[in-house]
Amino acid sequence: MTKPIAVRNPRTGKLDHTIVPPSGDLLERQCLRSRQAQTHWQKIGIEGRIEALQQWKQAVLSQRDRLTEALVEDTGRLSISVLEIDSFLSSIDRWCRLAPELLQESEKATAIPFVRLQQTSVPYPLVGIISPWNFPLLLSTIDTIPALLAGCAAIVKPSEIASRFVAPLMQAIRDVPNLRDVLTFVEGDGKTGAALIESVDLVCFTGSVATGRKVAAAAAQRFIPACLELGGKDPAIVLASANLELATSAILWGSVVNTGQSCLSIERIYVAESIFAEFVDQLVTKADRLKLAYPTVESGEIGPMIAERQAAIIREHLLDAIAKGAIVRCGGQVEERDGGWWCRPTVLTQVTHAMKVMTEETFGPILPVMAFATVEDALNLANDTIYGLSAAVFAGTETEALAVAQQIDAGAISINDAALTALIYEGEKNSFKYSGLGGSRMGAAGLMRFLRKKTFLVKTNSTPDPWWFSDR
Ligand code: NAD
């Protein structure tokens, strides 16, 4: 029997839930079972797998209330939990639509007229998926759905900080005979995550750079691929020609949605000197209008901090910035209410890159705004980071914005909008620098990375090849 882990409720601070990680033996047996079941899963073909995923979707719909309730307990917020469920369900449909064409095999001629090439793909038998707490359902299923459709079995280990949602999801999985042996969610912390890597053929990890390093090292030891989706410190650049109404609304949303607990949050804002004062005034006015989702989940837009350790980091970044001369224009405090940790949208000015809030991932509703004199300065500041997840550029014309966006070292740039990769999955993108490693999770590559290419080279004539040794 392993040691149970007590789980904190983000709204009350109470340890009101317990998870019991599987023992090493149990996890190994589960991996073996999934691996054995994968053969049948692959055999039923894409039509059979689509049918099973659609049945899962129906089973989830019948568990929807329980799932919503569990996600709200996990995260302390309501509207984003509803969005997470909708987004998860629509991603089943999206991948089911795309997969048949992506999985089609092809035949080609080769440079040698009597050799035909038959191109096929073979799924990795067992994929391990390890996910974080900020979008517990979405990020534990974002790689799972394409992996399953590709023909892999999957074992998913969500974060120990938010895993109440696992019970209703597992119930829905048990209702689908073809799925229940190839898809399992296991509860546990980093130890279970580390143990999982020892038994799978490919690992998809979403989480911090620090843990990503350990995951990459463990995967390298086993010679298995690791797809890493890690942290970010996304910049927004606002040029003098930008539409300020639009820029302030988009940036506010991109910074504080989900209380800023998003890898692709706008965490640094660089604004042209000539419009800086007006930009800040508008941003503060709009930020001040947002309300805490307190005392009830229905109350406002800004939920509690899900992870207590993150609340400590946000407070540390704020104190560091204020000690180094930052000015708080609104918000500014991490406060405790009824056991939960809360922070209002906080606009900071007089910030510099000597402050943690401008260089380290804050993961909270903090909007530090800095003025720039030239576009070159803005780009230097935006690129002065170890991260390269995504970014945003605002300008009067698309051409002007794109010219700047092309010079930002990041995998996805929203133009005249913010954090669009949270909603649009079609664009292939890689994470630059320390924000990740491995193929794109978005676009067609999001499914293709679960397959290994295999080629059959077929000799089509019955005469000796000209390069063989002569019989005489
Ligand atoms: P984390 O790295 O602490 O944990 C992530 C997961 O890894 C958890 O399930 C945890 O139990 C597990 N884990 C811990 N140690 C492990 C080990 N040694 N081996 C295997 N698994 C281990 O991250 P977190 O605090 O849960 O999440 C926040 C971080 O995730 C932020 O940095 C955020 O930017 C990042 N994130 C990235 C993306 C993205 O798509 N790039 C999306 C969301 C969050």
Side-chain angles (χ1 to χ4, degrees), residues 50-262:
I50 288 175
E51 197 185 329
L53 284 198
Q54 287 298 331
Q55 286 168 3
W56 186 30
K57 185 182 153 193
Q58 291 311 316
V60 169
L61 283 171
S62 70
Q63 296 284 329
R64 188 171 181 134
D65 289 350
R66 260 188 82 203
L67 185 58
T68 311
E69 217 171 278
L71 262 183
V72 171
E73 295 252 298
D74 273 333
T75 59
R77 36 72 163 166
L78 174 62
S79 59
I80 301 282
S81 299
V82 172
L83 263 179
E84 263 197 90
I85 297 174
D86 288 342
S87 183
F88 156 61
L89 293 171
S90 66
S91 80
I92 293 182
D93 286 341
R94 183 165 40 83
W95 279 119
C96 285
R97 250 191 338 267
L98 294 172
E101 199 183 325
L102 293 175
L103 293 176
Q104 256 171 24
E105 301 194 347
S106 62
E107 276 193 8
K108 286 182 201 151
T110 69
I112 300 169
F114 56 84
V115 178
R116 183 170 44 85
L117 186 152
Q118 204 169 314
Q119 187 75 64
T120 159
S121 312
V122 184
Y124 286 94
L126 181 58
V127 173
I129 289 155
I130 301 172
S131 54
W133 48 263
N134 57 323
F135 290 96
L137 173 67
L138 202 64
L139 292 171
S140 60
T141 51
I142 191 167
D143 299 321
T144 305
I145 296 163
L148 287 168
L149 285 170
C152 314
I155 298 203
V156 188
K157 200 224 59 81
S159 168
E160 65 278 20
I161 292 174
S163 55
R164 292 168 184 85
F165 76 98
V166 167
L169 210 58
M170 277 304 289
Q171 180 56 56
I173 293 167
R174 279 192 286 271
D175 287 347
V176 185
N178 266 337
L179 197 61
R180 59 183 163 225
D181 291 329
V182 288
L183 175 60
T184 308
F185 280 66
V186 291
E187 295 177 324
D189 59 12
K191 284 195 202 106
T192 307
L196 183 61
I197 298 169
E198 296 307 312
S199 298
V200 296
D201 306 302
L202 181 153
V203 60
C204 288
F205 171 81
T206 308
S208 63
V209 173
T211 313
R213 271 210 175 92
K214 293 183 198 163
V215 169
Q221 282 298 325
R222 295 203 50 237
F223 268 40
I224 61 167
C227 302
L228 307 177
E229 302 283 349
L230 310 179
K233 188 76 189 168
D234 285 5
I237 296 181
V238 186
L239 300 182
S241 58
N243 175 335
L244 281 196
E245 273 298 341
L246 188 144
T248 46
S249 294
I251 287 174
L252 180 63
W253 183 84
S255 296
V256 312
V257 66
N258 201 31
T259 318
Q261 303 164 117
S262 169

Side-chain angles (χ1 to χ4, degrees), residues 184-349:
T184 308
F185 280 66
V186 291
E187 295 177 324
D189 59 12
K191 284 195 202 106
T192 307
L196 183 61
I197 298 169
E198 296 307 312
S199 298
V200 296
D201 306 302
L202 181 153
V203 60
C204 288
F205 171 81
T206 308
S208 63
V209 173
T211 313
R213 271 210 175 92
K214 293 183 198 163
V215 169
Q221 282 298 325
R222 295 203 50 237
F223 268 40
I224 61 167
C227 302
L228 307 177
E229 302 283 349
L230 310 179
K233 188 76 189 168
D234 285 5
I237 296 181
V238 186
L239 300 182
S241 58
N243 175 335
L244 281 196
E245 273 298 341
L246 188 144
T248 46
S249 294
I251 287 174
L252 180 63
W253 183 84
S255 296
V256 312
V257 66
N258 201 31
T259 318
Q261 303 164 117
S262 169
C263 56
L264 43 73
S265 268
I266 297 291
E267 293 219 353
R268 305 174 283 146
I269 305 156
Y270 304 104
V271 182
E273 258 169 14
S274 58
I275 54 162
F276 183 80
E278 202 186 338
F279 177 92
V280 172
D281 285 348
Q282 270 194 31
L283 189 65
V284 170
T285 306
K286 291 179 183 179
D288 260 342
R289 278 188 213 135
L290 298 181
K291 304 250 177 325
L292 296 184
Y294 179 91
T296 66
V297 275
E298 293 88 4
S299 314
E301 301 86 356
I302 308 295
M305 268 120 200
I306 300 170
E308 189 162 37
R309 66 174 189 232
Q310 204 63 42
I313 292 171
I314 296 166
R315 172 182 283 137
E316 182 196 326
H317 286 197
L318 279 175
L319 292 177
D320 173 73
I322 292 163
K324 289 175 181 160
I327 300 189
V328 176
R329 304 293 297 262
C330 63
Q333 272 177 7
V334 176
E335 45 177 336
E336 199 233 294
R337 290 180 182 215
D338 303 340
W341 291 105
W342 299 80
C343 181
R344 286 183 188 284
T346 296
V347 176
L348 300 175
T349 53

Side-chain angles (χ1 to χ4, degrees), residues 12-32:
T12 64
K14 292 201 174 95
L15 301 174
D16 60 6
H17 181 69
T18 306
I19 56 174
V20 183
S23 66
D25 271 3
L26 186 62
L27 184 62
E28 250 180 60
R29 266 185 276 131
Q30 181 57 56
C31 289
L32 187 64

